[in-house]
Amino acid sequence: MTPPELATRWMHALTSTAYIPLSHAEIQQELRDALAQLPSSPESVANRLVSLHATGPDSLRVTIEVLAPTFELPILARLSSAYAHAMRLDAFDQQEQIKVAIVRAKQRVERTLKVSQARFREVFDSAALGIVITDLSGRCVEANDALARIVGLSRGADLHDRDLRELYHPDDSERLDAAYRRVGAGLVNGFRDQRKLVRADGEPVWVHLVVSVLRDADGEPAHHVTMVEDMSELHLLQRSLDHQLLHDSLTGLSNRQHFVTQVERRLDGTPITLYHLGLDAFSVVNNGLGHDTGDKLLKIVANRLGELAERKRAVLARIGGDEFALMTTSDTVTSTVEEIQQALGEATFVDDHGIALSASIGVVDRPPSFATAAELMRCANTALRQAKARGKRQWALHDPHDDARRRGRYALAASMPGAWEHGELKIVYAPIHLLETREVLGAVARLHWDDLSHNDTMALADSTGLSLPIGRWLLREACAQAARWVEEFGAKAPSLHIALGALQSRDEDLVADVKRALDESGLPPERLRIALDVSSVLAGDDNAVVLHDNGIVTALDGFRGGHDELAVLAEVPVRTVITRAPAPGRETPLHQAMRGLITTVHGFGVRFAADEVHTCAEADDWHAAGADGVIGLLPALTAAEVTELLATAASPPPAAS
Amino acid sequence: MAEQAGRIPEGVDTGRPSAARLYDYLLGGGHNFAADRALAERFLRAQPNARTIARLNRAFLRRAVLFMVDNGIRQFLDLGSGIPTVGNVHEIARRADPRARVVYVDFEEVAVAHSRLILEDDPQAEIVQEDMTRPEEVLAATRETGLLDFSEPVGVLAVGVFHFVPPEADPRAVVAAYRDAVPGGSHLAFSQFTGDLQPAEMAGIVEVMKKSQNPMFPRTRAEIEGLFAGFDLVEPGVVPLPLWRPEGQNTDDPDRAGIYAAVGRKI
Ligand SMILES: C[S@@+](CC[C@H](N)C(=O)[O-])C[C@H]1O[C@@H](n2cnc3c(N)ncnc32)[C@H](O)[C@@H]1O
C-alpha cells in the first residue's frame, strides 16, 4: 500500500473512533506526516495523535490494525507505550485545567460576594427599616440606627452586645424565642410576625418582624437577620380594619368568612359539630314591624346565642341576614338543639311587641377530617333546607348517605384501606367488542369493590392516596393473569387492557412499573394496552410518549372530544381514545356531532371506543356513529370465569345476544 | 437583601453528574468526575452507540458552523455550548475568518468555569452563564458583552441541547424568541435526540437521565420541523446527524445516529 493510501485508510479508521475537528484533507495531511516520522520517532507520532485528539477508546487499536502490516512490531510497541503515556499526561492536564477553572469560579463568587456585602452595608446604614444581626444566642452583633430609633435609643451601636430578647415584650418573648430557635436550627428559612417590643422608656411598640438566617460557608446557620418595621400607628389602624373584615357590624359577631377560617382550624380531627340556624319567619317580623325592629331583634338573638356559645365554649357567627352558625366540640346534638330553641323561645319585647322566636337548624356532626370547611358549610346548609322543609322549629342532621358523591368520599374512603388490606378489592375482566365483527378484542382489567364501578373505585382510591399502590397491584396481577392465559390458550388468549386512574397515569414511575410487570409476568408487551387518564396527557405528562417508545400501545380514557384533547392527539402517539359519553341515538343531533367527532379522531389515525355500553341497541348506535369498539356489552367476569370460558369455548366468548 | 448576603457560593458539586461532563466523557475528554463517568456507563448501556453519536454531533456542529461561514455569518450565539473539548465554535470559525465572534451560553458550572478559563485572553469570544430556555435573559446578557451586532445576521447554534428542554419550557416559544431577536439571513443550527430512529434505546436513555440534573425529552422529526417556524430549512432538512451535508462519503449508520440535525435560514 502506498503511503497516501495508508494515510487515507488510517484516517477513516481513526475518525470513526474519535472526533477530530479538522477537514478530511487536513487530517490526511497530518497522518501522512506522521507516517513519514514513524520509523524514526514513534514517540512524536504518539504525541501528534494525542494532540490531534485521536484519543477515543479504540483509536490506538485501529491505528495498530492499520499499521501492523506495514511497520515492524518494535516500532508499534514504542508507539503504543508512548501513546498511553501521552494520553495519561493529557488526562492530567485536563484534570488540572478543570481544577483551576473551578478555583477561579469560586474566586469569582467570592468577589461578587464582597460586592454584595458592600451593597448590604449601604442598605444597612441607610434603610428606614430597623435591621439587626444577632448570633444564634440572641446577642446583637450589629444593629442600625433605624432600629435604635424604633426602640428609643439614638445609635445602633448602643445595642451592640445586648441580648435582643431584652427588647421583646414579656407577652411575646416565649413565642418569639421558639420561632428564632426554629430558624437557627435550620428547620425553616425564616418567619414574619407582628409583635411588641419594649422601648427604652418602657412603652410597648408594635412592630412587624421579618427574620431570616445567615449561613456560614458550610451552609450552617450562623446568624439571624431581623428586620423591624415600626407599626405603632399602622398597627392600630390595621386592627380595626381586621375587625371590620371579620365581624358583622350589626351584632359584633364573627362573620361567615371568619367562621369558616375557624372551622378550618379545627379540621384536625377535633370532634366538631356545626349548627346552621335559620330564624323561622323572620321576614314576617322584618316586613311587618319594620327593619329597625328586625335589627333590634337580631341583636337580641345574637346576645342570647352569645351567652349559650360562651357556656359551651363554642364559636358563633352571623353568616347571613337571619342565619347564624355555631361550632361546638364534643357535643350532644339533641341537647344543644334544645338549648338553642329555649334561648330563642323566651318571649322578647321589642318596641312593645312581644315576640317568641324559633329556628330551624341544620346539623353536621363530627365530619371526617378530610372534608373541607366549605364542604361542611354546604352540608350544613343542605340540612337546614331539609329542616325548613319539615316546618318550623325543626332540625335535621346532615346524613352523608343522602348524597352519593359524599357517600363516596366519607364512608367508603374511610373503609377502603381496610378493604384493600383484606383483599376485598377484586379484579374482573370486561370484554371489549369490535363493532365491525362483534368479535371480542380483548379484556379490560377492572377493579371491583362492593357495587362500585371501576372508575368510581379508582376515583375514590385517588382521593385516599391509595390509587398508586392499588394501581400497581392491578398492573402486576392482571399482567400475571394475562400471561397465564397466553401460556394456556396461546393465540386465543385475550389481549389485556388496563385503565389507570388519574394519579397513576401521571406517576413518574409508571413506565418502570409497567416494564417490571411485563418482565415479571413474561407477558409479551404487544399483548398489553395501557389506557391513561386523559387528564395526564392534557397536563403535559409524557408517560404516553415514553410507553409508546417502549413499544407499549396506549389509549386515552375519559375522552370528551374537547379541542385540547384533539390537539393532543396530533402530538401523542395513542392507538385509541375511550369515551364514556352516552350512546348517540340515531337521528338526534348528538348522533351527527358524534359522527363528526369520530371522523376527526379517525383522521388522526386513532381508533374510537365507548365504555359503559350495556345494550345491543347502544352498541348499534355507536356503530352507526362510526365507533370502532365498545366495552361493557357482556358483564365483567372474574379471572376464573374467563379461564373457564376460554377452556370450554373453541372460540372467544360470543357477542352479546 | 439579607437573603442575598446570606447566600453562600454554590461551589461545584462533583458528586452530581451533569450532561455537560457526560458529553465531555463520551467525546473522550478528561473534564469529568467519577459520578459523570458512572452515569456515562449507564448511558452507554442504554445506547451502546453513544460515543459515536457524540462524535457525530460534534462533527455536525463543525459542518454547520462552516456552512454558516460560507453563507457570510461572522458572529455566533452558541446555546448550550458545553465544556470546550475540541473543535469549539470560535476555533472552527476563525480557521475560516479570524474576525469571527462568539458568545457561548451554558448554565453548568464546570462548563462555564472552563470556558471562562479558555477564553480569558480572547477579546472576541465570551461565555455567559444563563439558562437558554430564558431567551430574554440570555439576550440581555449577550448584549452586555457587546460582542454581537444584532443588526447583522447571527448564527444561532442549538446543537445537542434541546433534548434537555422540557415541553413545559415551551420550546417553540424559546426558538421564536431567538429568531425574533436576529435579522433576516440569520441561521439556526439545531440537533437533538429523537425516538424516531431507535425507540427502545431512546427510551433507555430517557430512563437513565430521568433522575439526573438533566432529564431528556426526545422529539419527533415533525416536532423538530415545527420548531423551525419562520425559517427556511436548508437542504437536506431534518435528517440523522451523518446525513446532514456529509464531508465526503458517509460511513456511519444513520439509523443508529440517535440525533436529528438541521439548519434553517431566517426568512
Ligand atoms: C451535550 S452538550 C452540547 C455541547 C455543544 N453544543 C455540542 O453540541 O457539542 C449540552 C450542553 O447544554 C447545556 N444545557 C442544557 N440545558 C441548558 C439550558 N437550559 N441552558 C443552558 N445550557 C444548557 C449543558 O450544560 C451542556 O453543557
Side-chain angles (χ1 to χ4, degrees), chain A residues 24 26 94-95 104 123 508, chain B residues 1 30 95 120 210 247:
Chain A
H24 286 185
E26 288 166 326
Q94 297 194 32
Q95 288 278 323
R104 297 258 178 106
V123 173
E508 58 172 320
Chain B
M1 83 235 62
R95 281 177 82 97
E120 204 165 40
K210 203 167 190 174
E247 181 185 358

Side-chain angles (χ1 to χ4, degrees), chain A residues 15-16 18-19 21-24 26 53 57 94-95 97-98 101 104 108-109 120 123 214 216 225 508 549-550, chain B residues 1 6 8-9 27 29-32 51 55 58-59 62 86-87 95 110 113-114 116-117 120 199 203 210 247:
Chain A
T15 51
S16 68
Y19 173 55
L22 296 174
S23 71
H24 286 185
E26 288 166 326
H53 193 255
Q94 297 194 32
Q95 288 278 323
Q97 219 174 12
I98 197 169
R104 297 258 178 106
R108 265 178 76 94
V109 174
F120 176 67
V123 173
L214 278 181
D216 63 15
V225 180
E508 58 172 320
D549 292 347
N550 276 286
Chain B
M1 83 235 62
I8 49 142
L27 276 175
H31 307 101
N32 44 69
R51 289 183 205 274
R55 166 173 66 78
R58 198 73 180 162
R62 176 169 177 278
V86 276
R95 281 177 82 97
V110 169
H114 195 242
R116 217 166 246 149
L117 187 69
E120 204 165 40
K210 203 167 190 174
E247 181 185 358

Side-chain angles (χ1 to χ4, degrees), chain B residues 71-147:
Chain B
N71 282 279
I73 307 274
R74 290 295 177 271
Q75 44 177 5
F76 297 87
L77 180 58
D78 187 1
L79 305 170
S81 47
I83 294 177
T85 317
V86 276
N88 299 303
V89 174
H90 70 290
E91 295 162 353
I92 298 167
R94 285 203 200 136
R95 281 177 82 97
D97 185 334
R99 290 165 303 173
R101 283 151 292 135
V102 183
V103 172
Y104 291 104
V105 180
D106 208 294
F107 66 177
E108 201 269 343
E109 298 281 346
V110 169
V112 172
H114 195 242
S115 306
R116 217 166 246 149
L117 187 69
I118 290 205
L119 302 173
E120 204 165 40
D121 300 319
D122 192 325
Q124 294 187 125
E126 216 172 291
I127 171 103
V128 298
Q129 183 165 17
E130 292 291 345
D131 181 341
M132 55 81 58
T133 62
R134 307 171 135 214
E136 295 89 63
E137 285 154 39
V138 171
L139 289 165
T142 303
R143 291 207 174 83
E144 224 168 83
T145 65
L147 279 178

Side-chain angles (χ1 to χ4, degrees), chain B residues 215-252:
Chain B
M216 290 181 58
F217 308 90
R219 291 195 169 80
T220 62
R221 181 196 301 247
E223 285 173 315
I224 294 171
E225 282 168 352
L227 295 175
F228 277 86
F231 291 93
D232 280 334
L233 276 171
V234 306
E235 282 300 313
V238 177
V239 290
L241 287 169
L243 298 188
W244 197 88
R245 298 180 180 241
E247 181 185 358
Q249 200 186 332
N250 169 53
T251 52
D252 291 289

Side-chain angles (χ1 to χ4, degrees), chain A residues 400-418:
Chain A
H401 295 280
D402 278 355
D403 169 330
R405 195 177 65 86
R406 249 165 277 147
R407 178 185 63 163
R409 287 206 47 195
Y410 294 172
L412 286 178
S415 58
M416 187 170 226

Side-chain angles (χ1 to χ4, degrees), chain A residues 543-556:
Chain A
N543 271 338
V545 178
V546 181
L547 283 171
H548 170 84
D549 292 347
N550 276 286
I552 294 159
V553 176
T554 56
L556 294 185

